[in-house]
Amino acid sequence: MDNIESNLENFLQQQEICIKNMKNKKLELKKIIKILINARNKKKKIFTMGNGGSGSTASHLVSDLLKTAIIKNEKRFQALSLVDNIPVVLAWSNDVGFEHIFSEQLKNFMEKGDIVIGFSGSGNSQNLLNAFRFAKKKGAICIGFTGQGGGKMKKCCDHCFEVPNVEMLS
């Protein structure tokens, strides 16, 4: 077995272990799904955020909620990714600081009872932490998805799903 094949085999084994461990967390995921469905039914907004690859995940979730999750004769989700408006992100980053790019956007749109979802491998991204703190203070429900350990995000969220994988901790 060459090095590429060995690395691939190891990677796939790690993913199998992670998925097996996630199956033990089905109740946590079920709670989060119920929160999202309740938000949809009550016409509450869902905001997503993340940096780098986590930002891509945040954007993709909104795409899934707005298009893929449509169910005939049901209300539709109202969702917005805070990473997608690059000029707004750059303006807040330049004028106030990168650590406020999400919290400042929430100030424009978020209302009590809305949902704020953040993705962070480490759970320690300052811009997410600031946004969660603002959201909690204003009565939003905060949901985090993070790597094993949860970082500081665990304390800022009402629900924090820790993916049981040590490979991604940045």
Side-chain angles (χ1 to χ4, degrees):
M1 186 175 342
D2 65 18
N3 195 33
I4 293 173
E5 189 174 342
S6 174
N7 287 340
L8 178 59
E9 185 65 29
N10 183 50
F11 171 79
L12 293 173
Q13 286 175 350
Q14 292 301 314
Q15 299 316 302
E16 286 177 347
I17 292 167
C18 181
I19 290 171
K20 181 180 176 185
N21 290 335
M22 283 179 65
K23 287 181 179 181
N24 296 327
K25 296 173 160 255
K26 281 191 286 190
L27 290 178
E28 289 178 55
L29 287 173
K30 191 174 177 180
K31 285 179 192 174
I32 292 169
I33 292 167
K34 284 183 177 183
I35 290 167
L36 296 177
I37 291 171
N38 188 48
R40 179 199 67 194
N41 293 342
K42 291 185 174 184
K43 294 196 170 246
K44 295 295 182 181
K45 293 179 291 301
I46 300 168
F47 300 95
T48 66
M49 58 189 175
N51 299 297
S54 295
S56 296
T57 301
S59 184
H60 191 102
L61 176 60
V62 167
S63 175
D64 285 342
L65 291 173
L66 295 179
K67 171 65 175 81
T68 310
I70 294 174
I71 300 172
K72 189 175 181 177
N73 300 322
E74 294 284 345
K75 293 178 182 174
R76 291 185 177 199
F77 285 100
Q78 296 182 21
L80 177 71
S81 169
L82 300 177
V83 304
D84 288 343
N85 192 330
I86 300 304
V88 170
V89 169
L90 292 173
W92 281 116
S93 179
N94 183 64
D95 297 346
V96 179
F98 188 73
E99 65 274 12
H100 300 291
I101 62 172
F102 301 132
S103 57
E104 290 298 330
Q105 291 183 75
L106 288 174
K107 290 176 184 177
N108 290 20
F109 301 109
M110 200 201 79
E111 298 174 349
K112 185 177 181 177
D114 285 345
I115 311 298
V116 177
I117 301 174
F119 297 90
S120 172
S122 68
N124 292 318
S125 298
Q126 192 59 51
N127 52 8
L128 270 73
L129 298 174
N130 289 341
F132 279 135
R133 289 179 187 124
F134 169 79
K136 290 277 292 182
K137 195 172 8 175
K138 296 297 183 180
I141 298 170
C142 298
I143 300 171
F145 288 89
T146 186
Q148 198 166 350
K152 295 175 185 173
M153 202 161 79
K154 263 174 70 167
K155 294 179 182 174
C156 294
C157 294
D158 299 296
H159 303 276
C160 189
F161 186 84
E162 294 177 52
V163 177
N165 185 344
V166 297
E167 292 294 314
M168 174 58 196
L169 288 176
S170 59

